[in-house]
């Protein structure tokens, strides 16, 4: 049981708020609860807010190293948004920054043993991706009106190719929320399963006696390597999500390619 | 989290790829329902579905995602990011101000150096002019003095030469007489007295030869 690599993704209620609707049987209606996943979302939000506010409390002209980390995060995301979506994209800087920090800290919490990784939940990543796409489409139409649809008709394309290119563009646009959410979900899920499987081998082999302990060295080394890899993946996935968000926002701001 | 498990759990533990095993188990279920019971925790959602695809957890997750992300967004937008932005802006302004001040001071220094060098060049040319003037003046004075001294010396030389010539002439005048007297005395010693007249004639005769 301890070695079950799927168990780490199980959601359980910390306290339940009961069920809305349904016929009273198990699984019917909408049950709302504060779950382990919710706990770590709340912890993530709390950590980010507390960290950023406490480290900048001094408002030092010359930053200490804590304040410097907050400023670096700010500058990092600000440069990302500015280079991908232009100065006008800075309107969405708080959104991209929140997304980046939420995913980044969520992933990092996931690396701590016994902590829950809410970014390994497809519904969470899909909801975040849909939030991005909703903002893109809404802002695109509000700012550009029907001209936003130019996004699907690349300029400079000969007329007879348009009927072929436009459906491709539409499909690629529609697949964005899916690729955005599945990429993050898949990376976190696969990474944590791999980690658990390899470290599970260590425990199983070590319980087999002397030969097993020798044999357990290899998966142990793999476990260490994969842990390092997972830290990198956690960071890179948060970065990728934020960069793609900036690029999609750029489409909303400047729809004609 | 360790809790009673069903038979398939052992399968999972032994399987190399647990995901694959799940798929097999799902397919193998006779009643079409999944039986992968993953820990019958008190409050766990035990529907047996692969946890991320367990739709019964979605409403709670969405609810708390919306709440936590909304709080995060609000705090970032209203508190944290403006604060960091202000800090960075103040620092940028301060640095720019300091740079401008440094530039201003540098220009001031350059001006001071330029005026100092101009004054130095002027002083140098003044000194040169003064030295030149003094030199010409001295030279003129010296020349005049020398001319005066030379003139007076020439006069003195001329006077001396004159007196020497007079003395010489006078001395030459006496030479004949002395010689005659000497000759008379010599002759007197040798042959006896001779008249002065003949001695003088003899000397004159000798000195002519």
């Amino acid at each position: 049981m301890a070695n079950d690599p799927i168990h780490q993704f199980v959601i359980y209620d910390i306290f339940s708020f009961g069920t809305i609707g349904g016929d009273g049987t198990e699984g019917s209606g909408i049950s709302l609860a504060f779950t382990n996943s919710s706990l770590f979302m709340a912890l993530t939000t709390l950590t980010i807010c507390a960290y950023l506010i406490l480290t900048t409390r001094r408002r030092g002209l010359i930053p200490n190293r804590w304040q410097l980390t907050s400023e670096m995060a700010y500058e990092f995301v600000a440069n990302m948004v500015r280079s991908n979506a232009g100065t006008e994209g800075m309107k969405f800087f708080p959104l991209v920054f929140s997304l980046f920090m939420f995913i980044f800290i969520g992933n990092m919490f996931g690396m701590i043993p016994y902590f829950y990784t809410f970014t390994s939940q497809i519904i969470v990543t899909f909801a975040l991706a849909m939030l991005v796409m909703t903002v893109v489409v809404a802002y695109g139409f509000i700012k550009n009106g029907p001209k936003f649809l130019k996004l699907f008709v690349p300029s400079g394309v000969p007329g007879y190719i348009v009927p072929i290119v436009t459906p491709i563009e539409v499909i690629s646009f529609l697949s964005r929320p899916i690729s955005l959410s599945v990429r993050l979900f898949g990376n976190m899920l696969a990474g944590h399963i791999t980690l658990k499987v390899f470290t599970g081998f260590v425990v199983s082999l070590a319980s087999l006696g002397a030969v097993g302990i020798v044999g357990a060295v290899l998966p142990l080394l793999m476990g260490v390597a994969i842990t390092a890899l997972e830290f990198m993946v956690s960071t890179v996935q948060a970065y990728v999500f934020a960069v793609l968000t900036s690029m999609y926002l750029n489409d909303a701001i400047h729809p004609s390619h | 989290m360790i809790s009673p498990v069903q038979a398939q759990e052992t399968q999972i533990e032994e399987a190399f790829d647990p995901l694959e095993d799940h798929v097999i188990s799902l397919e193998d279920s006779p009643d079409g329902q999944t039986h992968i019971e993953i820990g019958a925790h008190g409050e766990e959602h035990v529907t047996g579905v692969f946890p991320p695809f367990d739709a019964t957890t979605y409403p709670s997750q969405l609810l708390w995602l919306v709440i936590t992300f909304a709080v995060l967004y609000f705090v970032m937008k209203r508190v944290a990011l403006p604060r960091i932005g202000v800090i960075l802006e103040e620092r940028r302004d301060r640095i720019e101000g300091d740079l401008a001040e440094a530039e201003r001071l540098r220009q001031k220094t350059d001006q001071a150096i330029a005026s100092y060098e101009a004054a130095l060049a002027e002083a140098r040319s003044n000194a040169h002019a003064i030295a030149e003037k003094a030199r010409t003046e001295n030279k003129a004075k010296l020349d005049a003095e020398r001319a005066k001294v030379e003139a007076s010396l020439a006069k003195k030389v001329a006077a001396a030469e004159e007196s020497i010539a007079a003395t010489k002439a006078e001395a030459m005048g006496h030479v004949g007489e002395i010689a005659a007297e000497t000759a008379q005395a010599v002759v007197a010693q040798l042959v006896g007295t001779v008249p002065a007249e003949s001695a003088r004639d003899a000397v004159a005769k000798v000195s002519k030869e």
Side-chain angles (χ1 to χ4, degrees):
Chain A
M1 185 59 224
N3 286 357
D4 176 13
I6 302 300
H7 184 259
Q8 59 179 318
F9 302 113
V10 169
I11 286 183
Y12 58 86
D13 299 350
I14 292 173
F15 50 84
S16 180
F17 301 121
T19 306
I20 303 162
D23 50 14
T25 56
E26 185 66 36
S28 68
I30 299 167
S31 56
L32 292 174
F34 188 80
T35 65
N36 51 350
S37 150
S38 321
L39 173 67
F40 282 97
M41 289 182 202
L43 267 180
T44 299
T45 291
L46 208 68
T47 306
I48 298 167
C49 295
Y51 190 86
L52 289 181
I53 289 169
L54 290 179
T55 54
T56 56
R57 192 188 40 201
R58 241 170 24 93
R59 293 164 197 264
L61 192 66
I62 299 156
N64 57 22
R65 58 188 71 179
W66 302 105
Q67 190 185 327
L68 197 63
T69 55
S70 295
E71 287 175 11
M72 275 164 68
Y74 180 100
E75 297 260 22
F76 176 68
V77 180
N79 287 337
M80 184 199 298
V81 175
R82 212 176 284 124
S83 62
N84 284 304
T87 319
E88 209 184 327
M90 288 306 280
K91 223 181 279 185
F92 298 104
F93 172 60
L95 175 69
V96 180
F97 187 83
S98 304
L99 280 169
F100 175 76
M101 291 308 280
F102 194 65
I103 295 168
F104 177 63
I105 300 300
N107 289 350
M108 282 300 160
F109 270 151
M111 290 307 296
I112 301 171
Y114 298 107
F115 276 33
Y116 192 82
T117 322
F118 62 81
T119 44
S120 68
Q121 290 287 326
I122 183 75
I123 185 68
V124 173
T125 62
F126 188 71
L128 291 175
M130 282 314 291
L131 169 69
V132 171
M133 297 325 285
T134 311
V135 169
V136 167
V137 172
Y139 185 75
F141 276 116
I142 288 167
K143 179 165 180 291
N144 305 294
K147 278 186 191 158
F148 179 60
L149 294 172
K150 268 191 188 168
L151 183 63
F152 304 117
V153 188
S155 60
V157 169
Y160 56 90
I161 295 186
V162 168
I164 307 166
V165 170
T166 302
I168 296 173
E169 289 283 337
V170 171
I171 291 166
S172 94
F173 187 83
L174 291 178
S175 63
R176 278 173 181 183
I178 298 163
S179 67
L180 199 57
S181 55
V182 170
R183 183 182 301 112
L184 177 58
F185 158 72
N187 270 289
M188 299 322 292
L189 185 80
H192 280 80
I193 289 175
T194 318
L195 200 54
K196 185 88 182 182
V197 167
F198 273 101
T199 47
F201 279 160
V202 179
V203 178
S204 315
L205 282 169
S207 63
L208 294 177
V211 181
I213 288 172
V214 174
V217 171
L218 203 63
L220 179 64
L221 290 177
M222 278 302 286
V224 172
I226 289 170
T227 306
L229 179 76
E230 276 312 296
F231 272 111
M232 200 191 77
V233 167
S234 302
T235 316
V236 167
Q237 286 308 315
Y239 173 71
V240 165
F241 200 100
V243 164
L244 287 173
T245 301
S246 312
M247 288 165 76
Y248 296 161
L249 286 168
N250 184 46
D251 281 347
I253 298 161
H254 315 103
S256 42
H257 291 252
Chain B
M1 306 285 175
I2 301 165
S3 46
V5 289
Q6 294 190 347
Q8 278 154 333
E9 295 279 15
T10 43
Q11 249 185 314
I12 293 163
E13 281 182 15
E14 284 160 13
F16 181 77
D17 184 351
L19 263 179
E20 203 176 321
D21 191 57
H22 273 274
V23 174
I24 292 164
S25 311
L26 284 162
E27 283 168 353
D28 287 349
S29 302
D31 54 358
Q33 290 292 308
T34 46
H35 285 271
I36 308 159
E37 187 83 14
I38 304 154
H41 190 277
E43 303 279 351
E44 274 176 22
H45 290 257
V46 287
T47 45
V49 188
F50 181 51
F53 298 144
D54 181 359
T56 58
T57 67
Y58 288 0
S60 310
Q61 293 210 63
L62 285 176
L63 172 71
W64 288 99
L65 177 65
V66 169
I67 293 171
T68 54
F69 194 75
V71 168
L72 177 68
Y73 180 77
F74 185 80
V75 174
M76 291 298 109
K77 192 179 163 71
R78 289 291 149 90
V79 186
L81 294 181
R83 187 191 280 194
I84 299 175
V86 165
I87 290 172
L88 292 175
E89 203 166 312
E90 269 174 8
R91 185 175 309 145
R92 198 158 37 230
D93 287 353
R94 176 72 180 269
I95 290 170
E96 270 168 16
D98 284 0
L99 283 177
E101 175 72 6
E103 177 64 19
R104 197 182 62 77
L105 290 176
R106 200 182 61 80
Q107 277 176 358
K108 221 167 141 185
T109 313
D110 283 354
Q111 266 174 14
I113 289 173
S115 68
Y116 162 76
E117 290 204 328
L120 195 66
E122 202 191 319
R124 202 174 279 142
S125 72
N126 277 351
H128 190 73
I130 288 167
E132 191 63 30
K133 199 176 153 199
R135 197 180 297 125
T136 5
E137 265 173 16
N138 277 348
K139 200 169 168 241
K141 216 163 151 185
L142 206 66
D143 284 350
E145 200 82 4
R146 191 194 289 134
K148 217 160 101 187
V149 170
E150 273 174 358
S152 89
L153 277 179
K155 216 191 258 170
K156 274 183 189 162
V157 165
E161 272 173 356
E162 219 166 87
S163 89
I164 288 169
T167 313
K168 194 179 169 187
E170 198 187 321
M172 288 308 270
H174 294 304
V175 167
E177 197 147 323
I178 293 163
E181 274 172 18
T182 313
Q184 191 182 359
V186 169
V187 169
Q189 284 285 308
L190 294 175
V191 288
T193 318
V194 284
E197 199 69 20
S198 59
R200 207 171 289 139
D201 288 345
V203 167
K205 201 175 161 193
V206 170
S207 58
K208 258 182 202 156
E209 279 171 5

